[in-house]
Amino acid sequence: MSMYVDLAKRLKSSSEPLGPWDVTHPLGFPAMLAFLMGKDGSLLRPTIVGLIVACLVPLAVGLLGWAAFGRRTALLAVAFSSLYFPFIEFGAHMLSEIHFIFWMTLAFAAFFAARDVHRRGVVLALSAAGGFALSLAIAFKSVALLGALAFFAVD
């Protein structure tokens, strides 16, 4: 976590270019921290955003369940993911994983929903929304690219 915060502080306060050691991890989380960090270096706003995202993850999981399997699965997914401890813990520790989980889940929900729609405009909108969410997930954790490749290879 300190690596992310230190990099965010450097991104916010310095205009010098990043070195090879700065890009060993995706830059999405440090960039978000730098954007939300207070002028005094306070992490209050990033913590609040992480809490909000952690609260939205069960709803995103329910949306994925609805898009893939229907209403009953969506309700069960919301119930079980609300009690799933790692979602709560990742939100409490302000880790990049909760943002990754949120955006990756929304991306797959949009992709699954786009498969079942027959109107071209809706398919394009859902696909674009899924692509945007997938790009944000990749910005937080590059392993999202492997998940997307597997999804499109099977589909």
Side-chain angles (χ1 to χ4, degrees):
M1 182 63 198
S2 68
M3 179 188 71
Y4 288 129
V5 173
D6 293 340
L7 183 55
K9 287 179 181 177
R10 274 206 340 258
L11 286 173
K12 188 172 183 86
S13 64
S14 173
S15 62
E16 62 187 54
L18 298 176
W21 52 89
D22 293 326
V23 292
T24 58
H25 291 75
L27 293 175
F29 193 62
M32 185 200 74
L33 287 177
F35 179 72
L36 293 173
M37 197 178 292
K39 293 186 189 284
D40 61 346
S42 167
L43 295 174
L44 180 63
R45 280 186 283 183
T47 304
I48 291 171
V49 168
L51 176 66
I52 291 169
V53 169
C55 292
L56 290 174
V57 165
L59 296 176
V61 171
L63 186 63
L64 177 60
W66 172 76
F69 300 109
R71 184 177 156 273
R72 182 177 296 165
T73 302
L75 293 173
L76 286 172
V78 169
F80 284 116
S81 64
S82 295
L83 301 174
Y84 188 57
F85 183 71
F87 291 162
I88 299 165
E89 185 180 23
F90 290 158
H93 291 299
M94 199 177 74
L95 299 173
S96 65
E97 280 80 1
I98 199 69
H99 299 277
F100 164 71
I101 291 167
F102 177 70
W103 291 110
M104 188 73 166
T105 305
L106 283 182
F108 281 112
F111 292 147
F112 275 114
R115 292 176 56 201
D116 296 334
V117 176
H118 300 293
R119 291 181 37 207
R120 174 174 265 180
V122 177
V123 170
L124 290 175
L126 285 170
S127 299
F132 177 73
L134 181 63
S135 67
L136 287 176
I138 291 170
F140 284 107
K141 292 284 182 188
S142 53
V143 73
L145 187 57
L146 297 175
L149 288 173
F151 176 81
F152 291 119
V154 171
D155 192 37

